[in-house]
């Protein structure tokens, strides 16, 4: 079972109950505000006296004839300033309680705030402020007051629990855990109580949300023990029933948590109780019980439970159950029985699609192709599930039957309008040039009626994977002509523009996106429409149409309807790429200010701003900005790569630069930009042999078709005295750089010089980095 996410945590934590302990009121002392909270409660039903006219006693006004003049009483012991503040606090607290009784929540809150100003150390006042903030949906205020309550009473169990609850509801799970852990550690806490069980339940949920399986298991162990032995925790029967019915603490969930925490003994006990009480999904429970037995070293017991799952013809676990069968048989030393057992199960449960597909897949792996095809053919008569067609395509792939392969792939796609089910088959075909050509040839033989959208779309994806770009473009355009479905058209427009952009055909890519926007069928959701304008702007700018690019991103902003950091970054980049540097700087700085709470947006804006300053010749300013970003995000791969490259390019801090770039490489070993940076820093350190593999791998990638990368590759070849290869790399770099000559002016000049004097040492000026969208 998977670990629950924060959203689920927030839903379940709303049921946490907090209990308080009434304070004793000393008979010989003036009531303090926190004592008054309970004194007032006892008199809540008393009528509120009407307001009396204000009397100026100091001048004896409103005194009736023949009455003595009133004089102010003089206390034997005058009040101190602190005592006077407490009296004021009591007064405002009383006002707040009366207003609350009348249902005047807003004015009650204001009264409690006034009380707090006069007595900020009162626990009762702070508890009232927290309660009122929650009632008025001012969660941030509730959290602030809870924090103040913890400062006033660090070991106050209820304040810690309240704060933990609200931190969790705000998604601040680690902070919530700390508060609840502090609550457990309080000296006054009774660990054999209902409160303790509830608290451990809440902690268990939070530990699960942070994927801390051992701690979640330990917390739930208390809950399980309390459910099984309620008398030891004074647990009321209704609370016990609630815990057993709770979707987070029923026996199945307890078992899953124990299993994830590798406490298999308790997991087995919890799953068994789930079966006895018939709670949870029994199919899932039996399956997980079998897994727990297996992990605890009892494969025979595991097989008994799994067999019970099969005998009841349960299907809740799909192929997982059959994969588990293979693992158990292997643990028993009976792997040779796997396929025979699958055949028996499939014969007994012919309507179980997943089982039939799994059997066919197993037969395919065993090269029993004819039997696999027969099983699938029969199963697919009842079901048109894409998973089955994907397995059938695997059979035709092995048999080298291109016609059947193409039709099966098309049917697999058409089942869900997704390529997910056949990704592996498309990749395998694309790696076989001869088979790819045969499948495409079969497609061209189809008549107009047969050649539908599914066939055209599958062929387009196959051709693109096989690097047959011209044919891929042709099939994408055919696919557009074969459908009126907006979702299908939108996908093709985006993929076609990606294909054209990868060939540096920016103008054509922009036209494809514009065609999508103008297509009457274009009724995509808001997010997709904005995405079209985002990429349209990028391609228009690379095609040299700056004003049109700005207009496109403006349309995207109108659609978004509110400030969007991604779109703002695109707009600033357009100004940057078009060398309108002042406008670009102004916009990047505005993004940093306006989106200060979005770390990802700010980081991207600062990185772009740094690169802009470097391009303008202000190396120091660019470096300072990146170093600031690095201090804020020292483990972020992209930041490590960018700053490491900048250091390497200047020939400074090379050892540190290499370490930083290695952090980026470890996060994404196939990233062409990271590979280029690693090759460049190794080159700068004189490690030419080590640099070469990184740069070759970068240049072999589709995203590595960039002038800077080939320039670096040529420099390394030159240092290794492989001049012919160096010249070849520099020529490729020049060819790629000319596609975007505006951004690569300096690089083009440098490459021309190198090719003119190809045996001279490479220049030390910083090469232009490829612009990133």
């Amino acid at each position: 079972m998977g670990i629950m996410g924060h959203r689920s945590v927030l839903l379940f934590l709303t049921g946490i109950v907090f209990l308080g302990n009434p304070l004793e009121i000393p008979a010989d002392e003036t009531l303090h505000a926190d004592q008054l909270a309970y004194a007032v409660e006892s008199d809540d039903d008393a009528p509120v006296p009407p307001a009396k006219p204000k009397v100026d006693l100091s001048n004896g006004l409103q005194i009736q004839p023949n009455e003595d003049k009133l004089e102010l009483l003089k206390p034997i012991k005058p009040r101190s300033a602190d005592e006077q503040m407490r009296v004021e606090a009591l007064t405002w607290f009383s006002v707040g309680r009366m207003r609350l009784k009348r249902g005047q929540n807003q004015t009650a809150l204001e009264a409690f705030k006034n009380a707090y100003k006069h007595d900020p150390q009162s626990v009762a006042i702070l508890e009232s402020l927290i309660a009122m903030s929650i009632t008025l949906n001012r969660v941030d205020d509730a959290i602030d007051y809870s924090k103040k309550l913890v400062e006033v009473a660090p070991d106050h169990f209820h304040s810690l629990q309240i704060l933990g609850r609200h931190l969790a509801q705000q998604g601040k799970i680690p902070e919530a855990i700390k508060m609840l852990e502090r609550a457990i550690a309080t000296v006054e806490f009774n660990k054999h109580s209902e409160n303790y069980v509830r608290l451990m339940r809440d902690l268990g949920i939070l530990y699960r949300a942070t994927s801390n399986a051992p701690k979640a298991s330990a917390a739930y162990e208390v809950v399980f023990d309390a459910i099984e032995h309620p008398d030891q925790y004074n647990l009321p029967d209704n609370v016990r029933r609630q815990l057993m019915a709770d979707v987070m603490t029923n026996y199945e969930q307890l078992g899953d948590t124990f299993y994830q925490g590798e406490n298999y003994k308790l997991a087995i006990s919890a799953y068994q109780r789930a079966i006895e009480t018939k709670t949870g999904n029994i199919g899932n429970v039996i399956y997980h019980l079998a897994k727990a037995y297996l992990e605890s070293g009892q494969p025979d017991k595991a097989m008994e439970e799994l067999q019970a799952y099969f005998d009841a013809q349960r299907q809740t676990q799909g192929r997982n159950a059959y994969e588990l069968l293979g693992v158990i048989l292997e643990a028993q030393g009976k792997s040779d029985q796997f396929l025979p057992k699958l055949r028996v199960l499939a014969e007994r449960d012919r309507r179980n699609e997943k089982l039939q597909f799994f059997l066919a897949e197993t037969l395919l792996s065993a090269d029993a192709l004819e039997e696999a095809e027969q099983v699938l053919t029969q199963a697919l008569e009842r079901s048109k599930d894409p998973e089955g067609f994907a397995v059938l395509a695997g059979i035709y792939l092995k048999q080298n039957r291109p016609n059947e392969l193409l039709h099966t792939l098309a049917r697999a796609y058409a089942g869900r309008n997704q390529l997910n089910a056949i990704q592996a088959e498309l990749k395998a075909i694309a790696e076989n040039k001869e088979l790819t050509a045969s499948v495409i040839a079969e497609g061209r033989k189809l008549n107009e009626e047969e050649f539908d959208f599914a066939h055209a779309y599958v062929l387009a994806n196959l051709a693109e994977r096989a690097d047959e770009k011209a044919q891929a473009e042709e099939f994408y355009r055919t696919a557009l002509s074969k459908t009126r479905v907006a979702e299908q058209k939108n996908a093709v427009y985006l993929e076609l523009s990606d294909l054209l952009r990868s060939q540096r055909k920016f103008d054509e890519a922009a036209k494809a996106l514009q065609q999508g926007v103008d297509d009457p069928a274009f009724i995509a959701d808001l997010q997709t429409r904005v995405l079209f304008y985002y990429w349209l702007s990028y391609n228009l700018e690379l095609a040299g149409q700056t004003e049109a690019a700005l207009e496109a991103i403006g349309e995207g902003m109108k659609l978004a309807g509110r400030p969007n950091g991604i779109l703002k970054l695109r707009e600033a980049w357009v100004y940057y790429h078009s060398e309108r540097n002042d406008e670009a700087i102004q916009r990047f700085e505005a993004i940093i200010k306006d989106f200060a709470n979005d770390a990802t947006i700010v980081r991207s804006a600062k990185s772009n701003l740094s690169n802009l300053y470097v391009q303008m010749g202000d190396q120091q300013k660019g470096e300072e900005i990146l170093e600031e970003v690095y201090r804020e995000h020292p483990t972020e791969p992209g930041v490590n790569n960018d700053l490491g490259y900048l250091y390497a390019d200047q020939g400074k801090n090379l050892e540190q630069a290499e370490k930083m770039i290695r952090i980026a490489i470890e996060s994404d070993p196939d990233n062409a930009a990271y590979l280029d940076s690693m090759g460049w820093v190794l080159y700068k350190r004189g490690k030419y042999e080590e640099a070469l593999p990184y740069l070759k791998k970068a240049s072999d990638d589709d995203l590595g078709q960039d002038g800077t990368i080939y320039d670096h590759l040529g420099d390394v070849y030159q240092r290794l005295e492989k001049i012919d290869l160096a010249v070849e790399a520099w020529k490729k770099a020049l060819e790629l750089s000319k596609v975007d000559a505006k951004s690569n002016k300096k690089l083009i000049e440098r490459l021309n010089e190198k090719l003119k004097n190809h045996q001279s040492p490479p220049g030390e000026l910083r090469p232009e980095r490829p612009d990133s969208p």
Side-chain angles (χ1 to χ4, degrees):
M1 302 292 287
I3 296 293
M4 63 178 294
H6 286 190
R7 184 181 298 272
S8 301
V9 172
L10 305 188
L11 292 174
F12 288 112
L13 284 178
T14 56
I16 298 176
V17 175
F18 302 93
L19 303 177
N21 297 315
L23 300 179
E24 296 292 336
I25 304 175
D28 58 346
E29 293 185 12
T30 302
L31 288 180
H32 190 272
D34 55 2
Q35 299 165 348
L36 185 64
Y38 302 96
V40 174
E41 282 179 8
S42 64
D43 195 33
D44 269 347
D45 294 329
V48 179
K52 295 182 178 180
K54 196 170 184 179
V55 178
D56 186 352
L57 298 177
S58 62
N59 294 318
L61 298 180
Q62 298 188 13
I63 302 301
Q64 301 299 320
N66 302 320
E67 290 185 347
D68 295 333
K69 184 177 180 179
L70 295 177
E71 295 183 359
L72 292 173
L73 294 176
K74 295 181 180 180
I76 297 175
K77 182 181 179 182
R79 292 181 183 140
S80 67
D82 288 344
E83 288 173 335
Q84 183 62 37
M85 292 291 283
R86 290 173 62 185
V87 169
E88 295 289 339
L90 283 167
T91 302
W92 279 113
F93 191 88
S94 299
V95 170
R97 295 289 299 178
M98 288 188 291
R99 289 176 179 174
L100 185 61
K101 182 68 177 177
R102 295 170 179 170
Q104 299 170 348
N105 293 339
Q106 182 61 51
T107 56
L109 176 62
E110 296 305 319
F112 290 137
K113 284 182 178 180
N114 284 325
Y116 175 72
K117 289 177 183 177
H118 290 87
D119 191 356
Q121 301 298 309
S122 169
V123 171
I125 292 174
L126 282 167
E127 287 182 329
S128 297
L129 283 168
I130 293 167
M132 289 307 304
S133 297
I134 294 170
T135 300
L136 296 171
N137 198 29
R138 298 183 178 183
V139 180
D140 288 340
D141 289 345
I143 291 175
D144 288 340
Y145 289 127
S146 297
K147 288 180 179 178
K148 292 171 182 175
L149 184 52
V150 173
E151 293 172 2
V152 170
D155 293 332
H156 192 275
F157 161 72
H158 304 296
S159 64
L160 293 166
Q161 192 176 20
I162 290 169
L163 179 54
R165 176 193 185 196
H166 291 298
L167 287 169
Q169 289 175 332
Q170 289 289 300
K172 300 174 181 178
I173 305 302
E175 295 93 329
I177 289 173
K178 288 179 182 178
M179 289 300 104
L180 295 184
E181 286 176 338
R182 281 180 60 183
I184 288 178
T186 55
V187 177
E188 63 184 271
F189 208 94
N190 178 8
K191 295 188 177 180
H192 284 277
S193 65
E194 175 187 344
N195 274 342
Y196 182 64
V197 175
R198 289 182 179 276
L199 189 53
M200 295 305 287
R201 173 255 190 190
D202 302 336
L203 265 174
I205 293 173
L206 296 177
Y207 286 139
R208 290 183 65 181
T210 55
S211 301
N212 192 331
K215 284 194 173 184
S217 176
Y220 270 19
E221 187 172 346
V222 174
V223 178
F224 185 43
D225 190 49
I227 291 174
E228 294 298 282
H229 308 97
D231 293 344
Q232 296 181 16
Y233 295 84
N234 296 313
L235 194 69
D237 189 57
N238 67 312
V239 176
R240 178 176 180 268
R241 290 197 303 271
Q242 288 173 6
L243 291 172
M244 292 174 63
D246 191 333
V247 293
M248 295 307 300
T249 54
N250 62 28
Y251 284 123
E252 180 183 0
Q253 289 299 316
L254 291 170
D256 289 345
T257 305
F258 296 142
Y259 181 88
Q260 291 159 7
E262 299 183 5
N263 190 337
Y264 302 118
K265 183 178 180 180
L266 274 183
I268 290 169
S269 298
Y271 287 138
Q272 287 175 334
R273 292 289 286 132
I275 294 171
E276 292 168 7
T277 57
K278 298 181 180 179
T279 56
N281 186 309
I282 299 302
N284 290 343
V285 171
I286 295 173
Y287 167 79
H288 285 107
L289 177 57
K291 288 184 68 177
Y293 274 126
L294 179 63
E295 293 293 345
S296 65
Q298 303 178 69
D300 293 342
K301 279 279 192 182
M303 182 58 78
E304 287 180 19
E305 296 299 332
L306 190 60
Q307 190 60 53
Y309 176 95
F310 291 145
D311 290 344
Q313 294 191 346
R314 299 186 184 278
Q315 301 182 27
T316 56
Q317 284 296 318
R319 64 183 293 122
N320 292 337
Y322 314 118
E323 290 174 348
L324 179 60
L325 174 62
V327 176
I328 294 174
L329 287 171
E330 183 178 0
Q332 291 178 316
K334 301 176 181 178
S335 294
D336 59 327
Q337 296 183 18
F338 181 48
L339 187 53
K341 278 186 174 292
L342 277 181
R343 287 189 175 109
V344 171
L345 290 173
E347 181 64 29
R348 291 177 179 173
D349 196 1
R350 287 181 171 272
R351 304 191 70 81
N352 186 335
E353 298 171 8
K354 299 296 183 184
L355 174 54
Q356 301 298 325
F357 296 159
F358 187 86
L359 171 60
E361 192 174 330
T362 306
L363 290 167
L364 172 60
S365 299
D367 283 332
L369 303 183
E370 291 184 5
E371 183 182 355
E373 183 179 1
Q374 182 180 1
V375 169
L376 278 174
T377 302
Q378 293 175 353
L380 288 171
E381 288 177 357
R382 297 184 299 272
S383 166
K384 307 303 179 186
D385 194 312
E387 182 183 343
F389 285 112
V391 180
L392 186 58
I395 295 171
Y396 294 144
L397 177 61
K398 275 196 172 185
Q399 294 175 331
N400 197 22
R401 295 162 63 181
N403 182 273
E404 292 89 342
L405 183 54
L406 173 59
H407 290 301
T408 304
L409 290 171
R411 295 185 72 180
Y413 164 78
R416 290 179 188 161
N417 284 330
Q418 293 180 352
L419 291 173
N420 295 345
I422 55 175
Q423 294 289 1
E425 286 71 27
L426 286 173
K427 180 181 178 182
I429 298 169
E431 291 172 352
N432 184 330
K433 294 295 184 183
E434 184 177 343
L435 181 57
T436 298
S438 298
V439 172
I440 290 176
E442 291 297 329
R444 295 191 182 282
K445 293 178 184 177
L446 297 176
N447 59 41
E448 184 68 19
E449 184 177 344
E450 291 176 313
F451 199 14
D452 58 8
F453 175 82
H455 285 83
Y457 187 60
V458 166
L459 285 169
N461 276 272
L462 174 59
E464 185 172 3
R465 283 175 176 271
D467 203 29
E468 298 289 343
K469 298 187 186 300
Q471 295 195 79
E473 180 181 346
E474 176 191 349
F475 287 127
Y476 274 129
R477 295 193 185 280
T478 301
L480 284 172
S481 69
K482 296 289 184 179
T483 182
R484 294 183 179 179
V485 179
E487 181 181 341
Q488 292 177 344
K489 283 201 165 193
N490 296 335
V492 175
Y493 282 126
L494 286 170
E495 290 176 37
L496 175 58
S497 68
D498 284 344
L499 174 68
L500 294 167
R501 182 169 59 248
S502 71
Q503 300 173 75
R504 306 299 198 268
K505 298 178 179 179
F506 304 120
D507 186 62
E508 292 183 43
K511 287 179 181 177
L513 291 165
Q514 187 65 57
Q515 184 182 351
V517 172
D518 296 338
D519 193 321
F522 189 78
I523 54 172
D525 60 273
L526 177 62
Q527 186 176 355
T528 302
R529 294 179 70 88
V530 170
L531 182 65
F532 267 65
Y533 281 110
Y534 176 86
W535 286 114
L536 177 58
S537 174
Y538 178 62
N539 284 287
L540 285 169
E541 170 56 27
L542 290 178
Q545 302 178 50
T546 299
E547 295 307 320
L550 291 172
E551 184 178 341
I553 204 65
E555 289 297 321
M557 290 179 181
K558 288 179 186 177
L559 277 175
R562 60 181 180 177
N564 181 298
I566 299 296
L567 298 179
K568 291 284 187 182
L569 282 170
R570 166 62 73 234
E571 180 187 46
W573 175 85
V574 172
Y575 283 106
Y576 161 40
H577 183 267
S578 61
E579 298 182 349
R580 294 161 67 171
N581 296 335
D582 291 342
E583 291 96 329
I585 290 172
Q586 179 184 351
R587 280 163 175 78
F588 282 130
E589 289 179 343
I591 291 169
I592 293 168
K593 178 182 177 182
D594 296 341
F595 294 88
N597 294 327
D598 192 326
T600 302
I601 295 295
V602 170
R603 184 169 65 241
S604 182
K606 287 183 176 180
S607 294
N608 277 278
L609 188 58
S610 166
N611 199 40
L612 175 53
Y613 276 116
V614 171
Q615 303 297 341
M616 293 169 62
D618 193 343
Q619 197 92 6
Q620 182 178 352
K621 180 70 172 177
E623 186 176 309
E624 287 174 356
I625 294 173
L626 268 188
E627 286 176 337
E628 178 187 345
V629 177
Y630 177 71
R631 286 192 295 271
E632 296 168 351
H633 308 280
T635 61
E636 208 283 325
V639 175
N640 276 274
N641 175 74
D642 292 349
L643 185 56
Y645 179 86
L646 188 56
Y647 284 153
D649 208 43
Q650 299 175 78
K652 61 188 287 187
N653 304 332
L654 294 178
E655 186 175 348
Q656 179 189 356
E658 182 178 338
K659 290 178 180 178
M660 295 168 76
I661 295 169
R662 287 195 185 280
I663 290 174
I665 289 280
E666 288 172 4
S667 73
D668 189 356
D670 297 322
N671 186 301
Y674 297 169
L675 292 167
D676 172 55
S677 296
M678 179 57 70
W680 195 232
V681 74
L682 291 172
Y683 168 85
K684 287 287 188 171
R685 299 194 71 185
K687 301 178 180 181
Y688 309 122
E689 291 284 358
E690 292 181 42
L692 184 60
Y694 287 102
L695 291 168
K696 287 184 66 176
K697 184 176 180 180
S699 64
D700 287 340
D701 190 270
D702 284 344
L703 297 177
Q705 300 308 298
D706 175 82
T708 298
I709 294 176
Y710 277 93
D711 179 36
H712 290 165
L713 180 61
D715 290 354
V716 171
Y717 277 135
Q718 185 193 40
R719 291 296 191 183
L720 294 173
E721 299 182 357
K722 298 180 179 180
I723 304 303
D724 290 345
L725 291 175
V727 170
E728 182 182 338
W730 289 331
K731 286 181 177 179
K732 180 67 173 178
L734 186 61
E735 175 191 337
L736 292 169
S737 300
K738 286 181 177 178
V739 176
D740 188 13
K742 180 188 293 185
S743 294
N744 296 315
K745 287 184 294 188
K746 294 179 182 178
L747 177 57
I748 291 171
E749 291 173 5
R750 193 160 52 251
L751 286 166
N752 282 325
E753 189 66 23
K754 289 178 183 181
L755 290 169
K756 181 180 177 182
N757 305 297
H758 58 265
Q759 292 189 15
S760 61
E764 293 301 318
L765 292 175
R766 183 186 189 213
E768 304 293 323
R769 295 310 302 266
D771 289 303
S772 58

